Amino acid sequence: MNWNELYDIENAPSFSDINKYIGSNSVLFQELCSYIEKNYSIKPKLSYSKCPAQPGWNIKYQKSGKSLCTLYPMTGFFIALVVIGAREEPETESCLETMEPYTAKLYMNTKFSCGGRWLMIEVKTENVLNDVKTLINIRKRFKK
């Protein structure tokens, strides 16, 4: 059953429900959530989207009014939406050769629109997760 059918607008999932739905790759989901919360000192916000492209509940991380990323639970993996704006393009492009071919190709094939490249990254491996962390860090540096 699709995520948006399991949990409608009146029935928000718990983080336990999200982890169960993601399944074996929930470890990667938990790692990214912990990374963001630790390094940026922000908490996740559950949000319901009626957008036909990715309807249902998602997890948003925002810092100082700026979106770091939005996470979408999927069966067996999750999608991390990271928007790379014009200001972040040069640094992102300088990092592409160190990223997974999947991530680099996704970036190059995503057209710039509505203020940035809206990267819907399917996180299924540790290496792609590391790419997502790099992209988030380009969007907003954390204090070490």
Side-chain angles (χ1 to χ4, degrees):
M1 184 175 269
N2 288 333
W3 178 248
N4 63 319
E5 296 168 333
L6 279 174
Y7 302 98
D8 62 23
I9 196 166
E10 302 296 325
N11 184 25
S14 67
F15 273 85
S16 176
D17 295 328
I18 293 168
N19 284 312
K20 284 180 195 167
Y21 190 79
I22 293 172
S24 62
N25 279 329
S26 67
V27 171
L28 300 175
F29 174 78
Q30 292 168 14
E31 183 179 332
L32 182 58
C33 291
S34 294
Y35 173 84
I36 294 169
E37 290 171 37
K38 176 185 171 205
N39 291 302
Y40 294 95
S41 300
I42 54 175
K43 295 291 180 195
K45 177 183 156 194
L46 273 174
S47 180
Y48 190 85
S49 173
K50 293 180 182 176
C51 174
Q54 201 63 50
W57 289 96
N58 58 59
I59 301 90
K60 293 186 183 295
Y61 284 98
Q62 295 175 312
K63 180 78 171 177
S64 304
K66 186 174 184 177
S67 176
L68 291 179
C69 67
T70 302
L71 309 178
Y72 300 92
M74 305 299 288
T75 303
F77 64 100
F78 67 97
I79 293 172
L81 167 62
V82 181
V83 181
I84 300 298
R87 197 174 48 194
E88 293 116 5
E89 280 189 313
E91 185 175 355
T92 301
E93 289 172 6
S94 73
C95 294
L96 289 179
E97 65 185 39
T98 65
M99 291 185 177
E100 283 294 294
Y102 161 77
T103 309
K105 183 178 179 182
L106 179 67
Y107 177 86
M108 295 308 292
N109 291 337
T110 303
K111 294 190 186 322
F112 192 94
S113 68
C114 299
R117 291 179 195 245
W118 292 61
L119 304 176
M120 296 288 283
I121 306 165
E122 294 184 0
V123 181
K124 298 177 180 178
T125 68
E126 185 79 31
N127 289 341
V128 171
L129 175 66
N130 290 333
D131 292 346
V132 170
K133 290 176 184 177
T134 298
L135 293 169
I136 290 170
N137 193 35
I138 289 170
R139 287 204 37 83
K140 177 91 173 136
R141 299 279 184 229
F142 61 85
K143 295 177 180 151
K144 294 182 180 186

